[in-house]
Every structure is written in structure tokens, then in C-alpha cells.
Amino acid sequence: SHNSGLRRIAGLASSSAPKLQALHLCNTSAVRLLRAVDFSLLPSAQLQTLDLSLNRLLDGNNNNSNNSDGFLRMVPFGAMKSLTSVLLAGLGLNVSTSALAGMLASLKSLKELDLSENNYVQSTTTNLTLDGCLKSSTYVKVLRLRRVGLLDAHLGSFSEFRLLETVDLSQNGLRTVRQATFNWNTNLKWANLSRNQIEWIEPGSFGYVMRMELLDLSDNRLPAVRKDLFVRLVHLTRVHAERNAAMSLVDLCPFNVQYMRLAQSNFSQLGALLRCGQLLELDLSGNRLRRVASDALAHTLLLGRLSLAANAIETVEANAFYELKKLVWLDLSRNRLADPLEAEEEATLFAGLTNLAHLDLSGNRLSRVGPRLFASLVSLTHLDLSENALRRVDDYSFQRMHY
């Protein structure tokens, strides 16, 4: 890997490397990479992993050799019966469904396939869809098809992948998640659908994916998430839904989710978070929040990290954080917080946060630090008050802090 002048690789004959199980030739920038290795010598070496990703595939005349059929003829996948992992990401191939189907037909032991950052081309003669050409790869557990130009019309279902655990379909042109797409993938644990153009998720799309642990829907165009989307996802602990278009928090948070990213999603209120009883980390930065109500976080008792940065928060109601006994990290930077009007209001702003260690209040409108503002923060070790308009710090304001 990472060799810029590679021209030829010798010494890989089966007699000299009988136990070779993994061959990594990624990111070599080899102008004749396909001719550098005599692949015919490798099958008897029990090769399990072949990594040719991130190369510039050029032929002997320094012309782009991005025809998938030509590439597949030069690499005898059919003879490599023991291959379990094939990594072909970033080669700039025009991957046709017919050529892909031919390659995969003989790889019965394949468990990981990465075709990311190539050009997916549906065969016009056979009209073979992506799921059709992958039907022979029933044992695949990890499938990465990031940035291959997938559209809704290309994607049928992954019903043959009964063992599929990880799928990456990010950075494509998908607009809809259909009910049939993942209906049979009952072992699916990790799904990355980020950076598409998804506007609609059909009801029941994840109804049978009950082992799902992480779902990434960030950087799409979702206007809302149906309340029944997560009903059966009892093992779902991480949801990434940041940077969607005018996202609405309508029952978005299933009870078991522990880590949620909802930054830059145009939220204006926190009401729907009341049911998120298992949350450990929550990122709501870059939204349109103006107020933190006293009961908004009352049921997120296990919350350890909370980011409300870069909103427009002007008001934090009395005892809004009082129930967050496990909170250790709070970011309220780049908001519009001003000085509490009365001493009683000052004392209740951070009341209850006895375990808080990190507090960021930078970039607000504070001009004064009163003696009771941080009185409850007996575990605080990091405090950022930069970029405010501080004119006065009262005596004993930091008396109970640990340095």
C-alpha cells in the first residue's frame, strides 16, 4: 500500500507464499497495477482479502482502463474461491450490473464487498438491477456502495442478504426509502443513508430490522419523521439526523436511543424529547431554539453530554437542567444568553448540575458574573466565558469550583 512508483510485484508464487491470506495494494498510484501482479499464482495461496482500492487504473498506454469488463477479465476472481473480502473502492470503474453479477457468481464465500466511489451503470441489454446482480452473494455481511450514483430506479431490495449487518449507501441520489428495501435484512445493525436526497421514508421501511443499532439519515431532505418509524427498533442506540430540511421533532426519539445528532435541522422546540429516557448524548447545535423550558429535559435523566450551541437561546427557565444529575458536559456557546435579572433567577439557572465538569458559555451576551450563578457547579473543571461583554465579576463567584 501507499507506493507511488509500483510497476511490478514478483515473488507471490504459491510455492513461495503458501500461507498468503491478504493482499493490500491500495493507494499505490501504480500506472500498470493490473499487470504488476500475476494473479494466476494466487488461488492456491488461500487468499481471503484482496484490496485494490484507491488506485489509478491505467493500461500500458497510460489510458484509463475503467471498463469494468476489461478489469474483471484481468483479475481472475473466479479462481479465488477462498476470497471473503473484496475492496475495489475509488477505482473510477464503470461497474455494469452484468459484469458485477459475473464476478460475484463464483465468490460463494464473500462476506465483505466495497465498490464505493465507482460509477454504477445498469446494463441496458439485461435490465439487471443492483439487487438482481447481487443475489448470488447471500453470505455478504458488509456491503459498501458509497458514491456510486445509485438512484431509486437502480435499487430494488436486499432480500437475498439475510446475513447483512452493515450497509453503506451514502452520497448517492436516493430520494425514497421503500418498505421492500430492507424488509428481509433482519440481521442489519448499521445503515448509512446519509448525504442522499431522501424526502420520504415509507411506513414500515425498518419494521423487520429489529437488530438495528445505528441509523444515519443525516444530510438529506427529510421534512419530518413518522412516529412509527422506530417502533420495532428496540436495539437502536444511535440516530444521526442532522442537517435535514425543516425537520420536525414528531416522536423522533425512540425510547432506547442513547446517542442522537440533530444539529442544523431547524428545530425550534424541544417538546418531543420528553420520551427519550435512555439518552446519553444529544447534539442540538445550530438549530432555531430560543427557549429551554423547565420541563423540556425532565425525562432525560441519564444525559451525560448536551450541546445547544449556535442556537438563538435567550431564556433558560428556572431549574431547566435540575434533573440532569449525570450531565458532565454542557455547551451553550454562541447563543443570546444575557444576565439573569434577579438573584433567585441566577441561582436556578444551573441548579442541580452537581456533576457538571465542562461548561461553555462563550459567545453570549453576559456582562456580569454574580456570586450565585455557578454556586451549584461543585464539580466544574472547565469554564469558557470568552467572547462575552463581561464588565463585572462579583466576589466569591468561583468560590466552590475545583481547579
Side-chain angles (χ1 to χ4, degrees):
S1 301
H2 304 283
N3 286 286
S4 59
L6 186 64
R7 291 296 186 275
R8 181 169 179 77
I9 298 177
L12 290 178
S14 57
S15 59
S16 60
K19 296 183 180 181
L20 182 66
Q21 296 184 353
L23 178 59
H24 295 274
L25 295 172
C26 59
N27 199 18
T28 63
S29 298
V31 295
R32 294 181 180 87
L33 174 65
L34 295 184
R35 291 179 172 84
V37 181
D38 188 352
F39 289 100
S40 63
L41 300 175
L42 296 177
S44 60
Q46 300 180 350
L47 191 67
Q48 296 181 11
T49 299
L50 178 61
D51 185 357
L52 301 176
S53 55
L54 300 175
N55 282 288
R56 293 185 294 117
L57 296 182
L58 304 177
D59 60 20
N61 299 317
N62 289 344
N63 296 317
N64 247 329
S65 179
N66 65 347
N67 179 275
S68 61
D69 297 326
F71 171 75
L72 297 180
R73 280 198 301 269
M74 300 189 73
V75 182
F77 291 102
M80 301 179 185
K81 303 296 185 181
S82 57
L83 273 179
T84 60
S85 179
V86 175
L87 310 177
L88 304 175
L91 300 183
L93 292 171
N94 290 323
V95 182
S96 68
T97 50
S98 57
L100 184 58
M103 180 190 82
L104 297 176
S106 58
L107 299 180
K108 301 300 184 182
S109 300
L110 193 63
K111 295 182 179 180
E112 179 182 11
L113 176 62
D114 190 349
L115 291 170
S116 300
E117 299 184 39
N118 289 289
N119 303 314
Y120 170 78
V121 180
Q122 184 163 331
S123 303
T124 56
T125 55
T126 61
N127 197 31
L128 189 63
T129 60
L130 180 64
D131 59 303
C133 73
L134 295 173
K135 282 186 176 180
S136 61
S137 303
T138 55
Y139 294 101
V140 168
K141 293 185 177 182
V142 179
L143 178 62
R144 296 187 178 93
L145 297 170
R146 179 185 69 255
R147 198 178 176 186
V148 296
L150 278 178
L151 303 175
D152 289 345
H154 300 149
L155 197 61
S157 75
F158 295 99
S159 58
E160 300 296 327
F161 292 89
R162 301 300 176 91
L163 301 180
L164 190 65
E165 296 179 357
T166 297
V167 62
D168 186 353
L169 300 177
S170 61
Q171 300 183 53
N172 284 290
L174 302 176
R175 293 181 176 273
T176 303
V177 179
R178 304 188 185 282
Q179 182 177 3
T181 302
F182 302 111
N183 217 18
W184 297 97
N185 306 120
T186 55
N187 289 300
L188 191 62
K189 296 179 180 179
W190 190 92
N192 187 355
L193 299 172
S194 66
R195 301 181 69 178
N196 279 279
Q197 302 174 39
I198 298 174
E199 301 172 326
W200 174 245
I201 300 176
E202 289 187 356
S205 293
F206 303 106
Y208 295 94
V209 194
M210 290 179 282
R211 296 187 181 183
M212 180 84 76
E213 296 176 2
L214 184 149
L215 177 61
D216 193 341
L217 295 168
S218 59
D219 294 284
N220 280 287
R221 300 178 179 178
L222 288 168
V225 175
R226 292 177 58 89
K227 64 182 181 180
D228 58 351
L229 178 61
F230 303 114
V231 169
R232 296 188 178 183
L233 304 185
V234 294
H235 296 288
L236 187 66
T237 58
R238 293 179 180 267
V239 174
H240 299 174
E242 61 266 40
R243 293 181 297 279
N244 275 278
M247 177 71 80
S248 174
L249 264 174
V250 180
D251 288 328
L252 178 59
C253 190
F255 185 76
N256 291 312
V257 166
Q258 297 177 356
Y259 305 90
M260 180 168 282
R261 297 179 185 173
L262 300 170
Q264 300 179 42
S265 297
N266 294 313
F267 293 125
S268 59
Q269 57 183 353
L270 297 175
L273 292 174
L274 295 178
R275 296 192 307 113
C276 302
Q278 300 297 314
L279 267 180
L280 301 179
E281 295 185 12
L282 175 63
D283 184 358
L284 285 167
S285 60
N287 284 287
R288 296 184 293 111
L289 301 173
R290 292 182 175 273
R291 173 185 296 268
V292 180
S294 58
D295 60 348
L297 301 166
H299 294 272
T300 56
L301 304 181
L302 303 179
L303 199 61
R305 293 175 65 94
L306 172 63
S307 178
L308 297 170
N311 279 276
I313 298 174
E314 299 174 336
T315 303
V316 176
E317 293 186 359
N319 299 313
F321 305 117
Y322 188 80
E323 301 295 337
L324 307 184
K325 306 299 184 183
K326 296 183 179 295
L327 195 69
V328 297
W329 193 92
L330 175 61
D331 190 348
L332 285 165
S333 63
R334 290 170 291 158
N335 279 286
R336 302 175 183 176
L337 292 172
D339 301 327
L341 298 178
E342 300 178 0
E344 183 177 348
E345 182 182 350
E346 178 183 281
T348 59
L349 186 59
F350 299 114
L353 298 181
T354 54
N355 287 307
L356 191 70
H358 178 109
L359 176 61
D360 192 342
L361 291 169
S362 62
N364 279 280
R365 300 176 179 178
L366 298 173
S367 63
R368 171 180 170 269
V369 176
R372 303 181 65 184
L373 183 59
F374 304 125
S376 303
L377 308 182
V378 295
S379 301
L380 197 66
T381 60
H382 178 96
L383 174 64
D384 191 344
L385 291 169
S386 61
E387 298 184 54
N388 278 278
L390 289 177
R391 297 183 178 182
R392 176 181 169 186
V393 177
D394 289 354
D395 293 338
Y396 309 110
S397 295
F398 309 113
Q399 184 178 13
R400 302 191 66 182
M401 293 186 186
H402 293 188
Y403 295 95

